[in-house]
Amino acid sequence: MPVPIHDDDDDLDTTPSGIARRLTRVAEIIARANDRLDKIRAGFADPPDPEKPAVIAATSTIVSQATRAATSANELLGRLR
């Protein structure tokens, strides 16, 4: 059973250590999501036609959100260089 994600961090903390802590938390959440996706991928079976649209939609959402996270992270890195 996955451990629930609690976002109880202070998003108002804009100190460098606060930002680093919050970014580390985001990285941990993404790592957990990747671990979960790996487990799904390992046991993946092509679903029958009635379930395919839901599986395709969920997978497309993962791609969109992962792309958005990567774009945001790259923008932040660009500000630091």
Side-chain angles (χ1 to χ4, degrees), residues 41-77:
R41 204 175 76 210
F44 188 80
D46 194 18
D49 286 340
E51 285 86 19
K52 276 189 181 181
V55 173
I56 290 169
T59 306
S60 293
T61 300
I62 291 168
V63 171
S64 295
Q65 291 300 319
T67 301
R68 182 172 171 241
T71 299
S72 295
N74 279 322
E75 188 227 329
L76 290 172
L77 281 174

Side-chain angles (χ1 to χ4, degrees), residues 4 9 22 29 38 47 57 63 65 68:
D9 204 355
R22 290 165 45 213
I29 291 167
D38 287 344
V63 171
Q65 291 300 319
R68 182 172 171 241

Side-chain angles (χ1 to χ4, degrees), residues 2-9 25-34 36:
V3 178
I5 296 171
H6 297 288
D7 187 13
D8 57 0
D9 204 355
R25 182 71 178 125
V26 170
E28 290 168 354
I29 291 167
I30 291 171
R32 287 182 48 210
N34 282 329
R36 189 166 194 188

